[in-house]
Amino acid sequence: MADVLHTVANGVSWITLNRPEAMNAVTWDQRERIMALLDEASADPDVRAVVVTATGRGFCAGADLRGAPSIGEQVPGDVARTIRRGAQRFIGAVLDCEKPVIAAVNGTAAGIGAHLALACDLVLAAESARFIEVFVRRGLVPDGGGAYLLPRLVGPQRAKELMFFGDAVPAAEAYAMGLVNRVVPAEDLEKTAREWAERLAQGPTRALALTKQLVNASLDGDRATAFAAEAAAQEINMTTRDAKEGVASFVERREARYEGR
């Protein structure tokens, strides 16, 4: 059985981690496969939304370093290079995907698994889900973008609390602090993810991609940069068929029919 399951249906690419016996601790090969699928989703006009989820009780229990390229005798720079090539590329692939990405968190999301979920554009969590900044328990600095993602979601004080203590955050608490968009009963997680993803897949896909880029970039720049990017994005967007359809449907007082082009 494949360690990453993949299907495409109704315009949605479903990426499912499938090592339930290891609580879906993610291997190097799995990360490469997921990055490739996200890249394919960006390039495929028939894919208009992505869902990342997992089998079993865990969403992703962190990194499983088995299968990582051997670097032989370690010298200064090797660790930083491994992080850049591995965890940071992995999280960057989610942030840079040109289609909206939904995390359907079915269980524990720890370490890089938590960052995988939090890098997604929308996060659905089962009631049994937990989020753990586990790095401090191992004497490590959070990698895979943790110190970048968390302050943007919950502010610096709460982010430091999560990363300094490494306590498990239950789904309801994660929702209250703004880490997730919605908490649902476990039996409703897949159905809700499907409903959200298929709704996104009916939307103006290029406008959503540009909106994602604007929101992500806005957290890093000043107002003048954000306003210039917004104007440029709208200029690009107005060349799309979906934008023309959206305007026409408004004028004609009918439902818009978006094609993702």
Side-chain angles (χ1 to χ4, degrees):
M1 180 67 74
D3 287 347
V4 177
L5 306 177
H6 181 238
T7 60
V8 177
N10 298 323
V12 181
S13 173
W14 286 79
I15 301 173
T16 305
L17 281 71
N18 187 41
R19 296 180 67 232
E21 71 284 356
M23 293 284 285
N24 292 302
V26 66
T27 65
W28 186 277
D29 287 345
Q30 279 180 300
R31 291 192 304 203
E32 292 294 322
R33 175 65 174 148
I34 293 167
M35 286 188 283
L37 290 171
L38 291 167
D39 191 50
E40 290 173 16
S42 289
D44 186 348
D46 293 327
V47 171
R48 298 170 66 186
V50 178
V51 175
V52 178
T53 190
T55 58
R57 295 184 301 110
F59 175 74
C60 177
D64 185 333
L65 300 180
R66 286 175 291 184
S70 174
I71 57 175
E73 182 182 355
Q74 191 166 300
V75 299
D78 286 343
V79 171
R81 189 180 312 106
T82 299
I83 297 295
R84 287 196 302 270
R85 293 178 57 213
Q88 291 178 351
R89 278 181 60 232
F90 185 46
I91 298 306
V94 181
L95 294 170
D96 293 338
C97 182
E98 295 177 33
K99 307 297 165 67
V101 184
I102 297 173
V105 183
N106 53 299
T108 297
I112 194 69
H115 301 167
L116 170 62
L118 300 179
C120 292
D121 303 301
L122 300 170
V123 184
L124 296 170
E127 291 172 344
S128 55
R130 302 184 307 157
F131 298 82
I132 311 173
E133 282 296 315
V134 76
F135 297 92
V136 70
R137 299 187 187 181
R138 311 287 182 257
L140 300 174
V141 170
D143 64 35
Y148 176 86
L149 293 167
L150 262 73
R152 286 162 170 75
L153 292 168
V154 299
Q157 298 300 108
R158 186 58 66 89
K160 283 182 276 192
E161 178 185 341
L162 296 176
M163 291 187 281
F164 285 1
F165 291 115
D167 294 333
V169 179
E173 187 178 339
Y175 172 77
M177 69 173 67
L179 283 175
V180 306
N181 294 85
R182 187 170 299 179
V183 178
V184 298
E187 61 270 20
D188 293 339
L189 181 65
E190 181 179 344
K191 181 186 78 169
T192 306
R194 191 175 305 280
E195 289 172 353
W196 280 32
E198 291 184 358
R199 183 176 174 186
L200 290 170
Q202 297 297 312
T205 307
R206 296 311 304 164
L208 294 177
L210 290 162
T211 301
K212 172 176 178 170
Q213 292 171 12
L214 285 174
V215 173
N216 288 349
S218 75
L219 299 168
D220 301 323
D222 56 30
R223 186 183 71 179
T225 302
F227 276 24
E230 175 188 277
Q234 194 69 290
E235 179 80 27
I236 293 167
N237 185 63
M238 289 305 293
T239 68
T240 66
R241 277 191 256 167
D242 280 350
K244 294 178 174 62
E245 164 64 11
V247 172
S249 66
F250 174 75
V251 172
E252 297 166 14
R253 298 186 179 184
R254 59 174 174 80
E255 194 76 23
R257 294 181 294 273
Y258 296 121
E259 300 175 355
R261 288 166 169 79

